[in-house]
Amino acid sequence: MPDIPVRGRLTADRPLAGLTWLRVGGPADWLFQPADEADLSNFLAALPQDVPVFPMGVGSNLIVRDGGIAGVVIRLGRGFNGIRIEGDLVTAGAAALDAHVAIGAAEAGRDLTFLRTIPGSIGGALRMNAGCYGRYVADHFHAARAVLRDGRVVTLASSDVAFAYRQTDLPEGAVITEVTFRAATGDPQALAGTMADQLAKRDATQPTKDRSAGSTFRNPAGFSSTGRADDTHEMKAWKVIDDAGLRGAMRGGAQMSQMHSNFLINTGTATAADLEELGEEVRKRVLETQGIALEWEIMRVGRATRA
């Protein structure tokens, strides 16, 4: 690593397991926590182009493999978690938690309630086109700021993002620094009630007290659960996993949750390999028994073993 002056924190061989919800994985060669956007821009501009960069949020939808991550992991902190509201536009720093943005918007009479039960931060929500109850980031996206791999700061419009179900096509190595949403007007009290109902439904059906990374696989139907009373469960990931007889399946310390079979959990002793191998076994069995190719929703990154 060249001697690059930074105002944030640059740490060598930084363990990452404690920064992910699943609590697994090896270290980053380097972890950079920039002080602000200018610090990030200057660092990326000076970083040799052959050094890989991986932007990491709060690790809510991520398996870091046991060998860790080569190059530089960039994790945004306090300098990137502000929320401001101007008319129908809600702008949130990429490190702001989805839940905090939903609550802040609701208090100002703006409806981004679909974000309330989505784990993680806004940068990750954009990258994954996160959604719930039939609404997605794409439905409310107005613009985003990002620092490109060469250090340039750019504004991204919808045409630059290429939204799809549970994915986007962002520039390679780009680090999202803030996202602006367009939000409809709503009564603050009614919006608070909606979010309370959503939380109650989530806690009744999902293993929120276990170490998980949210939904493991994308729904084969190509859309998220709407949460409506007339919603059907055919072609939902949990249903095809159940039909393959894999609810509660285990490998080492990894388990497909008994409460919700599309949640991969660390029972306490799992390695990243346990988790990924169990997920691959589920994909294999579902394909063999039902002809359905499940796609990972959890991002898996890094080396299986250290070099």
Side-chain angles (χ1 to χ4, degrees), residues 124-162:
L126 172 60
R127 188 169 291 276
M128 296 295 294
N129 189 19
C132 195
Y133 296 99
R135 296 162 65 190
Y136 300 88
V137 166
D139 299 324
H140 298 272
F141 180 79
H142 177 69
R145 283 175 66 88
V147 181
L148 301 184
R149 178 60 184 83
D150 61 7
R152 285 180 296 143
V153 179
V154 298
T155 298
L156 303 175
S158 289
S159 58
D160 301 312
V161 177

PDB file of all heavy atoms in Angstrom, residues 124-162:
ATOM      1  N   GLY A 124     -26.279   0.347   0.665  1.00  0.00           N
ATOM      2  CA  GLY A 124     -26.570  -1.038   0.311  1.00  0.00           C
ATOM      3  C   GLY A 124     -27.970  -1.199  -0.254  1.00  0.00           C
ATOM      4  O   GLY A 124     -28.198  -2.006  -1.161  1.00  0.00           O
ATOM      5  N   ALA A 125     -28.919  -0.421   0.267  1.00  0.00           N
ATOM      6  CA  ALA A 125     -30.288  -0.490  -0.239  1.00  0.00           C
ATOM      7  C   ALA A 125     -30.346  -0.098  -1.704  1.00  0.00           C
ATOM      8  O   ALA A 125     -31.058  -0.709  -2.507  1.00  0.00           O
ATOM      9  CB  ALA A 125     -31.200   0.414   0.590  1.00  0.00           C
ATOM     10  N   LEU A 126     -29.569   0.936  -2.069  1.00  0.00           N
ATOM     11  CA  LEU A 126     -29.512   1.322  -3.479  1.00  0.00           C
ATOM     12  C   LEU A 126     -28.851   0.231  -4.304  1.00  0.00           C
ATOM     13  O   LEU A 126     -29.380  -0.181  -5.346  1.00  0.00           O
ATOM     14  CB  LEU A 126     -28.746   2.636  -3.637  1.00  0.00           C
ATOM     15  CG  LEU A 126     -28.442   3.052  -5.080  1.00  0.00           C
ATOM     16  CD1 LEU A 126     -29.729   3.231  -5.878  1.00  0.00           C
ATOM     17  CD2 LEU A 126     -27.609   4.325  -5.120  1.00  0.00           C
ATOM     18  N   ARG A 127     -27.721  -0.251  -3.836  1.00  0.00           N
ATOM     19  CA  ARG A 127     -26.966  -1.251  -4.608  1.00  0.00           C
ATOM     20  C   ARG A 127     -27.799  -2.503  -4.865  1.00  0.00           C
ATOM     21  O   ARG A 127     -27.703  -3.120  -5.935  1.00  0.00           O
ATOM     22  CB  ARG A 127     -25.678  -1.617  -3.850  1.00  0.00           C
ATOM     23  CG  ARG A 127     -24.711  -2.498  -4.638  1.00  0.00           C
ATOM     24  CD  ARG A 127     -23.376  -2.573  -3.924  1.00  0.00           C
ATOM     25  NE  ARG A 127     -22.664  -1.311  -3.952  1.00  0.00           N
ATOM     26  CZ  ARG A 127     -21.890  -0.899  -4.949  1.00  0.00           C
ATOM     27  NH1 ARG A 127     -21.725  -1.650  -6.029  1.00  0.00           N
ATOM     28  NH2 ARG A 127     -21.264   0.259  -4.894  1.00  0.00           N
ATOM     29  N   MET A 128     -28.651  -2.893  -3.899  1.00  0.00           N
ATOM     30  CA  MET A 128     -29.463  -4.107  -4.032  1.00  0.00           C
ATOM     31  C   MET A 128     -30.880  -3.820  -4.508  1.00  0.00           C
ATOM     32  O   MET A 128     -31.682  -4.738  -4.610  1.00  0.00           O
ATOM     33  CB  MET A 128     -29.518  -4.826  -2.681  1.00  0.00           C
ATOM     34  CG  MET A 128     -28.192  -5.336  -2.175  1.00  0.00           C
ATOM     35  SD  MET A 128     -27.501  -6.634  -3.213  1.00  0.00           S
ATOM     36  CE  MET A 128     -28.694  -7.943  -2.950  1.00  0.00           C
ATOM     37  N   ASN A 129     -31.204  -2.551  -4.794  1.00  0.00           N
ATOM     38  CA  ASN A 129     -32.584  -2.181  -5.110  1.00  0.00           C
ATOM     39  C   ASN A 129     -33.515  -2.833  -4.092  1.00  0.00           C
ATOM     40  O   ASN A 129     -34.456  -3.573  -4.442  1.00  0.00           O
ATOM     41  CB  ASN A 129     -32.984  -2.573  -6.535  1.00  0.00           C
ATOM     42  CG  ASN A 129     -34.332  -1.995  -6.936  1.00  0.00           C
ATOM     43  OD1 ASN A 129     -34.836  -1.034  -6.343  1.00  0.00           O
ATOM     44  ND2 ASN A 129     -34.944  -2.598  -7.953  1.00  0.00           N
ATOM     45  N   ALA A 130     -33.256  -2.570  -2.828  1.00  0.00           N
ATOM     46  CA  ALA A 130     -33.997  -3.196  -1.742  1.00  0.00           C
ATOM     47  C   ALA A 130     -35.482  -2.852  -1.828  1.00  0.00           C
ATOM     48  O   ALA A 130     -35.863  -1.776  -2.299  1.00  0.00           O
ATOM     49  CB  ALA A 130     -33.429  -2.734  -0.395  1.00  0.00           C
ATOM     50  N   GLY A 131     -36.299  -3.784  -1.361  1.00  0.00           N
ATOM     51  CA  GLY A 131     -37.733  -3.542  -1.403  1.00  0.00           C
ATOM     52  C   GLY A 131     -38.482  -4.394  -0.412  1.00  0.00           C
ATOM     53  O   GLY A 131     -37.970  -5.393   0.099  1.00  0.00           O
ATOM     54  N   CYS A 132     -39.699  -3.977  -0.134  1.00  0.00           N
ATOM     55  CA  CYS A 132     -40.570  -4.697   0.783  1.00  0.00           C
ATOM     56  C   CYS A 132     -41.989  -4.194   0.572  1.00  0.00           C
ATOM     57  O   CYS A 132     -42.197  -3.030   0.196  1.00  0.00           O
ATOM     58  CB  CYS A 132     -40.115  -4.449   2.225  1.00  0.00           C
ATOM     59  SG  CYS A 132     -40.812  -5.588   3.433  1.00  0.00           S
ATOM     60  N   TYR A 133     -42.952  -5.077   0.801  1.00  0.00           N
ATOM     61  CA  TYR A 133     -44.367  -4.686   0.665  1.00  0.00           C
ATOM     62  C   TYR A 133     -44.676  -4.099  -0.711  1.00  0.00           C
ATOM     63  O   TYR A 133     -45.455  -3.173  -0.866  1.00  0.00           O
ATOM     64  CB  TYR A 133     -44.773  -3.717   1.785  1.00  0.00           C
ATOM     65  CG  TYR A 133     -44.692  -4.347   3.147  1.00  0.00           C
ATOM     66  CD1 TYR A 133     -43.589  -4.118   3.968  1.00  0.00           C
ATOM     67  CD2 TYR A 133     -45.694  -5.215   3.592  1.00  0.00           C
ATOM     68  CE1 TYR A 133     -43.486  -4.735   5.204  1.00  0.00           C
ATOM     69  CE2 TYR A 133     -45.587  -5.838   4.828  1.00  0.00           C
ATOM     70  CZ  TYR A 133     -44.499  -5.592   5.621  1.00  0.00           C
ATOM     71  OH  TYR A 133     -44.388  -6.216   6.850  1.00  0.00           O
ATOM     72  N   GLY A 134     -44.022  -4.686  -1.733  1.00  0.00           N
ATOM     73  CA  GLY A 134     -44.316  -4.294  -3.100  1.00  0.00           C
ATOM     74  C   GLY A 134     -43.706  -2.989  -3.548  1.00  0.00           C
ATOM     75  O   GLY A 134     -44.005  -2.507  -4.641  1.00  0.00           O
ATOM     76  N   ARG A 135     -42.845  -2.385  -2.742  1.00  0.00           N
ATOM     77  CA  ARG A 135     -42.192  -1.126  -3.107  1.00  0.00           C
ATOM     78  C   ARG A 135     -40.677  -1.316  -3.055  1.00  0.00           C
ATOM     79  O   ARG A 135     -40.161  -2.036  -2.195  1.00  0.00           O
ATOM     80  CB  ARG A 135     -42.619   0.004  -2.164  1.00  0.00           C
ATOM     81  CG  ARG A 135     -44.106   0.339  -2.261  1.00  0.00           C
ATOM     82  CD  ARG A 135     -44.578   1.127  -1.047  1.00  0.00           C
ATOM     83  NE  ARG A 135     -43.951   2.435  -0.969  1.00  0.00           N
ATOM     84  CZ  ARG A 135     -44.067   3.235   0.110  1.00  0.00           C
ATOM     85  NH1 ARG A 135     -44.741   2.829   1.185  1.00  0.00           N
ATOM     86  NH2 ARG A 135     -43.490   4.428   0.111  1.00  0.00           N
ATOM     87  N   TYR A 136     -39.994  -0.630  -3.975  1.00  0.00           N
ATOM     88  CA  TYR A 136     -38.554  -0.779  -4.116  1.00  0.00           C
ATOM     89  C   TYR A 136     -37.876   0.593  -4.117  1.00  0.00           C
ATOM     90  O   TYR A 136     -38.520   1.613  -4.382  1.00  0.00           O
ATOM     91  CB  TYR A 136     -38.219  -1.495  -5.429  1.00  0.00           C
ATOM     92  CG  TYR A 136     -38.809  -2.876  -5.556  1.00  0.00           C
ATOM     93  CD1 TYR A 136     -40.098  -3.058  -6.077  1.00  0.00           C
ATOM     94  CD2 TYR A 136     -38.103  -4.002  -5.158  1.00  0.00           C
ATOM     95  CE1 TYR A 136     -40.644  -4.329  -6.197  1.00  0.00           C
ATOM     96  CE2 TYR A 136     -38.640  -5.273  -5.273  1.00  0.00           C
ATOM     97  CZ  TYR A 136     -39.915  -5.426  -5.797  1.00  0.00           C
ATOM     98  OH  TYR A 136     -40.459  -6.676  -5.906  1.00  0.00           O
ATOM     99  N   VAL A 137     -36.574   0.577  -3.882  1.00  0.00           N
ATOM    100  CA  VAL A 137     -35.796   1.810  -3.984  1.00  0.00           C
ATOM    101  C   VAL A 137     -36.024   2.455  -5.352  1.00  0.00           C
ATOM    102  O   VAL A 137     -36.169   3.676  -5.462  1.00  0.00           O
ATOM    103  CB  VAL A 137     -34.294   1.520  -3.755  1.00  0.00           C
ATOM    104  CG1 VAL A 137     -33.433   2.693  -4.198  1.00  0.00           C
ATOM    105  CG2 VAL A 137     -34.033   1.193  -2.273  1.00  0.00           C
ATOM    106  N   ALA A 138     -36.071   1.649  -6.403  1.00  0.00           N
ATOM    107  CA  ALA A 138     -36.256   2.174  -7.757  1.00  0.00           C
ATOM    108  C   ALA A 138     -37.509   3.032  -7.886  1.00  0.00           C
ATOM    109  O   ALA A 138     -37.542   3.989  -8.674  1.00  0.00           O
ATOM    110  CB  ALA A 138     -36.310   1.030  -8.762  1.00  0.00           C
ATOM    111  N   ASP A 139     -38.543   2.695  -7.109  1.00  0.00           N
ATOM    112  CA  ASP A 139     -39.812   3.425  -7.209  1.00  0.00           C
ATOM    113  C   ASP A 139     -39.706   4.845  -6.665  1.00  0.00           C
ATOM    114  O   ASP A 139     -40.530   5.701  -7.009  1.00  0.00           O
ATOM    115  CB  ASP A 139     -40.913   2.678  -6.452  1.00  0.00           C
ATOM    116  CG  ASP A 139     -41.164   1.299  -7.006  1.00  0.00           C
ATOM    117  OD1 ASP A 139     -41.081   1.133  -8.235  1.00  0.00           O
ATOM    118  OD2 ASP A 139     -41.427   0.368  -6.209  1.00  0.00           O
ATOM    119  N   HIS A 140     -38.732   5.094  -5.814  1.00  0.00           N
ATOM    120  CA  HIS A 140     -38.606   6.396  -5.153  1.00  0.00           C
ATOM    121  C   HIS A 140     -37.296   7.105  -5.475  1.00  0.00           C
ATOM    122  O   HIS A 140     -37.072   8.227  -5.028  1.00  0.00           O
ATOM    123  CB  HIS A 140     -38.717   6.215  -3.632  1.00  0.00           C
ATOM    124  CG  HIS A 140     -40.031   5.673  -3.189  1.00  0.00           C
ATOM    125  ND1 HIS A 140     -41.104   6.479  -2.914  1.00  0.00           N
ATOM    126  CD2 HIS A 140     -40.465   4.389  -3.005  1.00  0.00           C
ATOM    127  CE1 HIS A 140     -42.148   5.727  -2.555  1.00  0.00           C
ATOM    128  NE2 HIS A 140     -41.773   4.464  -2.612  1.00  0.00           N
ATOM    129  N   PHE A 141     -36.437   6.464  -6.251  1.00  0.00           N
ATOM    130  CA  PHE A 141     -35.104   7.013  -6.509  1.00  0.00           C
ATOM    131  C   PHE A 141     -35.177   8.300  -7.326  1.00  0.00           C
ATOM    132  O   PHE A 141     -35.857   8.385  -8.341  1.00  0.00           O
ATOM    133  CB  PHE A 141     -34.262   5.976  -7.250  1.00  0.00           C
ATOM    134  CG  PHE A 141     -32.866   6.434  -7.564  1.00  0.00           C
ATOM    135  CD1 PHE A 141     -31.883   6.420  -6.593  1.00  0.00           C
ATOM    136  CD2 PHE A 141     -32.544   6.893  -8.834  1.00  0.00           C
ATOM    137  CE1 PHE A 141     -30.583   6.846  -6.884  1.00  0.00           C
ATOM    138  CE2 PHE A 141     -31.254   7.314  -9.136  1.00  0.00           C
ATOM    139  CZ  PHE A 141     -30.276   7.285  -8.150  1.00  0.00           C
ATOM    140  N   HIS A 142     -34.431   9.308  -6.872  1.00  0.00           N
ATOM    141  CA  HIS A 142     -34.326  10.567  -7.600  1.00  0.00           C
ATOM    142  C   HIS A 142     -32.904  10.766  -8.143  1.00  0.00           C
ATOM    143  O   HIS A 142     -32.723  11.059  -9.321  1.00  0.00           O
ATOM    144  CB  HIS A 142     -34.705  11.738  -6.684  1.00  0.00           C
ATOM    145  CG  HIS A 142     -34.549  13.078  -7.325  1.00  0.00           C
ATOM    146  ND1 HIS A 142     -35.358  13.516  -8.350  1.00  0.00           N
ATOM    147  CD2 HIS A 142     -33.657  14.094  -7.098  1.00  0.00           C
ATOM    148  CE1 HIS A 142     -34.992  14.733  -8.721  1.00  0.00           C
ATOM    149  NE2 HIS A 142     -33.959  15.104  -7.981  1.00  0.00           N
ATOM    150  N   ALA A 143     -31.901  10.596  -7.276  1.00  0.00           N
ATOM    151  CA  ALA A 143     -30.506  10.754  -7.691  1.00  0.00           C
ATOM    152  C   ALA A 143     -29.600  10.215  -6.595  1.00  0.00           C
ATOM    153  O   ALA A 143     -30.047   9.950  -5.476  1.00  0.00           O
ATOM    154  CB  ALA A 143     -30.182  12.226  -7.968  1.00  0.00           C
ATOM    155  N   ALA A 144     -28.331  10.056  -6.930  1.00  0.00           N
ATOM    156  CA  ALA A 144     -27.337   9.635  -5.929  1.00  0.00           C
ATOM    157  C   ALA A 144     -26.004  10.286  -6.242  1.00  0.00           C
ATOM    158  O   ALA A 144     -25.715  10.622  -7.398  1.00  0.00           O
ATOM    159  CB  ALA A 144     -27.188   8.120  -5.917  1.00  0.00           C
ATOM    160  N   ARG A 145     -25.218  10.489  -5.206  1.00  0.00           N
ATOM    161  CA  ARG A 145     -23.830  10.920  -5.380  1.00  0.00           C
ATOM    162  C   ARG A 145     -22.938   9.707  -5.159  1.00  0.00           C
ATOM    163  O   ARG A 145     -23.215   8.852  -4.316  1.00  0.00           O
ATOM    164  CB  ARG A 145     -23.457  12.015  -4.375  1.00  0.00           C
ATOM    165  CG  ARG A 145     -23.998  13.381  -4.751  1.00  0.00           C
ATOM    166  CD  ARG A 145     -23.693  14.404  -3.664  1.00  0.00           C
ATOM    167  NE  ARG A 145     -22.274  14.676  -3.517  1.00  0.00           N
ATOM    168  CZ  ARG A 145     -21.610  15.606  -4.203  1.00  0.00           C
ATOM    169  NH1 ARG A 145     -22.236  16.327  -5.121  1.00  0.00           N
ATOM    170  NH2 ARG A 145     -20.327  15.832  -3.986  1.00  0.00           N
ATOM    171  N   ALA A 146     -21.856   9.654  -5.939  1.00  0.00           N
ATOM    172  CA  ALA A 146     -20.920   8.545  -5.814  1.00  0.00           C
ATOM    173  C   ALA A 146     -19.513   9.034  -6.111  1.00  0.00           C
ATOM    174  O   ALA A 146     -19.313   9.993  -6.874  1.00  0.00           O
ATOM    175  CB  ALA A 146     -21.289   7.421  -6.774  1.00  0.00           C
ATOM    176  N   VAL A 147     -18.551   8.370  -5.500  1.00  0.00           N
ATOM    177  CA  VAL A 147     -17.146   8.598  -5.827  1.00  0.00           C
ATOM    178  C   VAL A 147     -16.691   7.407  -6.660  1.00  0.00           C
ATOM    179  O   VAL A 147     -16.783   6.262  -6.217  1.00  0.00           O
ATOM    180  CB  VAL A 147     -16.277   8.737  -4.565  1.00  0.00           C
ATOM    181  CG1 VAL A 147     -14.825   9.004  -4.949  1.00  0.00           C
ATOM    182  CG2 VAL A 147     -16.803   9.854  -3.665  1.00  0.00           C
ATOM    183  N   LEU A 148     -16.237   7.684  -7.879  1.00  0.00           N
ATOM    184  CA  LEU A 148     -15.802   6.620  -8.770  1.00  0.00           C
ATOM    185  C   LEU A 148     -14.419   6.115  -8.382  1.00  0.00           C
ATOM    186  O   LEU A 148     -13.723   6.710  -7.561  1.00  0.00           O
ATOM    187  CB  LEU A 148     -15.803   7.114 -10.219  1.00  0.00           C
ATOM    188  CG  LEU A 148     -17.147   7.613 -10.750  1.00  0.00           C
ATOM    189  CD1 LEU A 148     -17.037   7.980 -12.231  1.00  0.00           C
ATOM    190  CD2 LEU A 148     -18.246   6.574 -10.543  1.00  0.00           C
ATOM    191  N   ARG A 149     -14.021   5.003  -8.968  1.00  0.00           N
ATOM    192  CA  ARG A 149     -12.752   4.369  -8.611  1.00  0.00           C
ATOM    193  C   ARG A 149     -11.562   5.288  -8.849  1.00  0.00           C
ATOM    194  O   ARG A 149     -10.537   5.184  -8.159  1.00  0.00           O
ATOM    195  CB  ARG A 149     -12.601   3.072  -9.414  1.00  0.00           C
ATOM    196  CG  ARG A 149     -11.296   2.317  -9.180  1.00  0.00           C
ATOM    197  CD  ARG A 149     -11.143   1.910  -7.719  1.00  0.00           C
ATOM    198  NE  ARG A 149      -9.852   1.279  -7.493  1.00  0.00           N
ATOM    199  CZ  ARG A 149      -8.734   1.932  -7.286  1.00  0.00           C
ATOM    200  NH1 ARG A 149      -8.721   3.266  -7.287  1.00  0.00           N
ATOM    201  NH2 ARG A 149      -7.601   1.282  -7.065  1.00  0.00           N
ATOM    202  N   ASP A 150     -11.683   6.236  -9.795  1.00  0.00           N
ATOM    203  CA  ASP A 150     -10.569   7.154 -10.054  1.00  0.00           C
ATOM    204  C   ASP A 150     -10.649   8.427  -9.215  1.00  0.00           C
ATOM    205  O   ASP A 150      -9.860   9.350  -9.395  1.00  0.00           O
ATOM    206  CB  ASP A 150     -10.498   7.511 -11.536  1.00  0.00           C
ATOM    207  CG  ASP A 150     -11.757   8.209 -12.039  1.00  0.00           C
ATOM    208  OD1 ASP A 150     -12.644   8.534 -11.210  1.00  0.00           O
ATOM    209  OD2 ASP A 150     -11.863   8.425 -13.266  1.00  0.00           O
ATOM    210  N   GLY A 151     -11.622   8.488  -8.283  1.00  0.00           N
ATOM    211  CA  GLY A 151     -11.721   9.620  -7.375  1.00  0.00           C
ATOM    212  C   GLY A 151     -12.692  10.693  -7.806  1.00  0.00           C
ATOM    213  O   GLY A 151     -12.972  11.621  -7.034  1.00  0.00           O
ATOM    214  N   ARG A 152     -13.235  10.602  -9.008  1.00  0.00           N
ATOM    215  CA  ARG A 152     -14.196  11.611  -9.464  1.00  0.00           C
ATOM    216  C   ARG A 152     -15.510  11.480  -8.695  1.00  0.00           C
ATOM    217  O   ARG A 152     -15.984  10.367  -8.447  1.00  0.00           O
ATOM    218  CB  ARG A 152     -14.477  11.457 -10.961  1.00  0.00           C
ATOM    219  CG  ARG A 152     -13.359  11.945 -11.874  1.00  0.00           C
ATOM    220  CD  ARG A 152     -13.744  11.735 -13.322  1.00  0.00           C
ATOM    221  NE  ARG A 152     -13.886  10.325 -13.643  1.00  0.00           N
ATOM    222  CZ  ARG A 152     -14.813   9.840 -14.475  1.00  0.00           C
ATOM    223  NH1 ARG A 152     -15.682  10.652 -15.052  1.00  0.00           N
ATOM    224  NH2 ARG A 152     -14.859   8.543 -14.726  1.00  0.00           N
ATOM    225  N   VAL A 153     -16.089  12.619  -8.346  1.00  0.00           N
ATOM    226  CA  VAL A 153     -17.387  12.647  -7.682  1.00  0.00           C
ATOM    227  C   VAL A 153     -18.444  12.926  -8.742  1.00  0.00           C
ATOM    228  O   VAL A 153     -18.335  13.908  -9.497  1.00  0.00           O
ATOM    229  CB  VAL A 153     -17.432  13.727  -6.583  1.00  0.00           C
ATOM    230  CG1 VAL A 153     -18.802  13.765  -5.924  1.00  0.00           C
ATOM    231  CG2 VAL A 153     -16.335  13.473  -5.540  1.00  0.00           C
ATOM    232  N   VAL A 154     -19.462  12.067  -8.822  1.00  0.00           N
ATOM    233  CA  VAL A 154     -20.477  12.194  -9.867  1.00  0.00           C
ATOM    234  C   VAL A 154     -21.873  12.110  -9.261  1.00  0.00           C
ATOM    235  O   VAL A 154     -22.065  11.618  -8.138  1.00  0.00           O
ATOM    236  CB  VAL A 154     -20.327  11.092 -10.942  1.00  0.00           C
ATOM    237  CG1 VAL A 154     -18.978  11.199 -11.643  1.00  0.00           C
ATOM    238  CG2 VAL A 154     -20.502   9.702 -10.331  1.00  0.00           C
ATOM    239  N   THR A 155     -22.836  12.605 -10.018  1.00  0.00           N
ATOM    240  CA  THR A 155     -24.248  12.439  -9.667  1.00  0.00           C
ATOM    241  C   THR A 155     -24.840  11.404 -10.610  1.00  0.00           C
ATOM    242  O   THR A 155     -24.659  11.486 -11.836  1.00  0.00           O
ATOM    243  CB  THR A 155     -25.011  13.766  -9.804  1.00  0.00           C
ATOM    244  OG1 THR A 155     -24.458  14.713  -8.882  1.00  0.00           O
ATOM    245  CG2 THR A 155     -26.488  13.579  -9.478  1.00  0.00           C
ATOM    246  N   LEU A 156     -25.539  10.425 -10.048  1.00  0.00           N
ATOM    247  CA  LEU A 156     -26.123   9.348 -10.837  1.00  0.00           C
ATOM    248  C   LEU A 156     -27.630   9.527 -10.940  1.00  0.00           C
ATOM    249  O   LEU A 156     -28.303   9.758  -9.938  1.00  0.00           O
ATOM    250  CB  LEU A 156     -25.821   7.994 -10.195  1.00  0.00           C
ATOM    251  CG  LEU A 156     -24.349   7.639  -9.975  1.00  0.00           C
ATOM    252  CD1 LEU A 156     -24.234   6.321  -9.225  1.00  0.00           C
ATOM    253  CD2 LEU A 156     -23.602   7.567 -11.294  1.00  0.00           C
ATOM    254  N   ALA A 157     -28.157   9.404 -12.153  1.00  0.00           N
ATOM    255  CA  ALA A 157     -29.600   9.395 -12.386  1.00  0.00           C
ATOM    256  C   ALA A 157     -30.061   7.946 -12.555  1.00  0.00           C
ATOM    257  O   ALA A 157     -29.235   7.020 -12.581  1.00  0.00           O
ATOM    258  CB  ALA A 157     -29.919  10.201 -13.645  1.00  0.00           C
ATOM    259  N   SER A 158     -31.363   7.736 -12.677  1.00  0.00           N
ATOM    260  CA  SER A 158     -31.893   6.371 -12.822  1.00  0.00           C
ATOM    261  C   SER A 158     -31.260   5.642 -13.997  1.00  0.00           C
ATOM    262  O   SER A 158     -30.972   4.440 -13.918  1.00  0.00           O
ATOM    263  CB  SER A 158     -33.410   6.405 -13.004  1.00  0.00           C
ATOM    264  OG  SER A 158     -34.037   6.780 -11.807  1.00  0.00           O
ATOM    265  N   SER A 159     -31.029   6.368 -15.092  1.00  0.00           N
ATOM    266  CA  SER A 159     -30.458   5.744 -16.285  1.00  0.00           C
ATOM    267  C   SER A 159     -29.027   5.263 -16.060  1.00  0.00           C
ATOM    268  O   SER A 159     -28.525   4.411 -16.795  1.00  0.00           O
ATOM    269  CB  SER A 159     -30.499   6.724 -17.459  1.00  0.00           C
ATOM    270  OG  SER A 159     -29.797   7.913 -17.140  1.00  0.00           O
ATOM    271  N   ASP A 160     -28.369   5.788 -15.034  1.00  0.00           N
ATOM    272  CA  ASP A 160     -26.998   5.374 -14.721  1.00  0.00           C
ATOM    273  C   ASP A 160     -26.961   4.153 -13.817  1.00  0.00           C
ATOM    274  O   ASP A 160     -25.910   3.527 -13.648  1.00  0.00           O
ATOM    275  CB  ASP A 160     -26.239   6.507 -14.023  1.00  0.00           C
ATOM    276  CG  ASP A 160     -26.157   7.765 -14.863  1.00  0.00           C
ATOM    277  OD1 ASP A 160     -25.814   7.646 -16.051  1.00  0.00           O
ATOM    278  OD2 ASP A 160     -26.461   8.861 -14.332  1.00  0.00           O
ATOM    279  N   VAL A 161     -28.110   3.836 -13.217  1.00  0.00           N
ATOM    280  CA  VAL A 161     -28.154   2.801 -12.185  1.00  0.00           C
ATOM    281  C   VAL A 161     -28.637   1.460 -12.732  1.00  0.00           C
ATOM    282  O   VAL A 161     -28.201   0.405 -12.297  1.00  0.00           O
ATOM    283  CB  VAL A 161     -29.043   3.261 -11.013  1.00  0.00           C
ATOM    284  CG1 VAL A 161     -29.177   2.175  -9.962  1.00  0.00           C
ATOM    285  CG2 VAL A 161     -28.461   4.527 -10.380  1.00  0.00           C
ATOM    286  N   ALA A 162     -29.551   1.469 -13.701  1.00  0.00           N
ATOM    287  CA  ALA A 162     -30.082   0.242 -14.313  1.00  0.00           C
ATOM    288  C   ALA A 162     -30.696  -0.679 -13.267  1.00  0.00           C
ATOM    289  O   ALA A 162     -30.191  -1.766 -12.991  1.00  0.00           O
ATOM    290  CB  ALA A 162     -28.998  -0.474 -15.103  1.00  0.00           C
TER     291      ALA A 162
END
